[in-house]
Amino acid sequence: MSLLNILNIAGSAMSAQSEKINVIASNLANAESIVCKDGKFYPYIAKKVIFKLDPLKNSLIGGVKVFSIINDLNPMKLIYDPSNPLSNKNGYVLQTNVNPVSETINHISASRSYQANVEVLKTAKSMIMKTLSIGE
Amino acid sequence: MFDKINKTLDFNQNLLNLYAKRQEILSSNIANADTPNYKAMDINFKDEMDKITKKSNLDITLTKTSSHHLNPRKKNFFIFEVKPITSKEIQSNGNTVDMNRERIEFIKNTLKYEENLVFIKNEIKNIMNVLKG
């Protein structure tokens, strides 16, 4: 039944958007973090969520799923800080490529999408309830 | 008489199905507003309405082996043609969902669906009034 499918579609979109918000929160929280890999220290690399269509059976439409979480390809910043123990011989330190401004904007857009899907869910529910009361 | 009742209810039922399907498509568009390369879909209301009124759908017949078998329902209106919207506006990630349009169409479609429900309710009320006398 189409109306029940709406609940699945909006639900999948909500979980995908909250996953995105999760990743954004992790990016912001780790903006100053250092990752240790193979005995070497690297700054934290921002992560990005890629969405994909999750089609219904034999159909062009459907919900959303998180396709993959990739590293942000933006270049890292080099900052002159000779007192830092991680600085190279010229005194420069690699810093994370997390951009707080774009992360905040993405966060707002994701939460707006989440809200839009909540509205869809509410509407679908009230439609189903009204349909059920048809013979009264 | 029952044929007439069937006819009105049948038409309204098909219309409700159409609205419900459209609602599903619009909700999918809203859900995929951020999905790269997703193309916004819709159905052509006029074409589907023509299909419902003309009843020119493919007949599916069943073999009857006894004279007591009932006639099968001949029409299948559950298949609607879903097409991508041709829009000028394409986002940088290949997505063609226009959120403003989708939200307005979503609300419109909800209201049409509920309006149709009211029609059916009143139809049933009328029938009940006639039956009760």
Side-chain angles (χ1 to χ4, degrees), chain A residues 83-99:
Chain A
S83 63
N84 195 316
L86 296 174
S87 61
N88 62 11
K89 51 189 171 185
N90 294 330
Y92 285 94
V93 190
L94 261 187
Q95 287 233 322
T96 175
N97 59 353
V98 175
N99 184 348

Side-chain angles (χ1 to χ4, degrees), chain B residues 113-129:
Chain B
Y113 184 93
E114 284 174 5
E115 167 200 318
N116 210 335
L117 279 184
V118 172
F119 279 147
I120 295 177
K121 270 187 191 171
N122 284 335
E123 200 72 45
I124 293 173
K125 229 186 248 169
N126 281 344
I127 294 167
M128 291 311 287
N129 275 338

Side-chain angles (χ1 to χ4, degrees), chain B residues 10 13 39 58 69 106 117 122:
Chain B
D10 232 29
Q13 183 206 345
K39 301 281 176 271
L58 292 170
H69 284 164
F106 190 82
L117 279 184
N122 284 335

Side-chain angles (χ1 to χ4, degrees), chain A residues 3 17 56 62 64 130-131 133, chain B residues 24 28 31-32 34 113-114:
Chain A
L3 284 179
Q17 296 292 353
L56 297 170
V64 194
K130 280 185 181 158
T131 316
S133 72
Chain B
E24 189 191 340
S28 159
N32 284 292
D34 289 335
Y113 184 93
E114 284 174 5

Side-chain angles (χ1 to χ4, degrees), chain A residues 73-87:
Chain A
L73 294 175
N74 282 334
M76 305 220 185
K77 285 175 283 187
L78 265 181
I79 291 206
Y80 185 68
D81 184 6
S83 63
N84 195 316
L86 296 174
S87 61

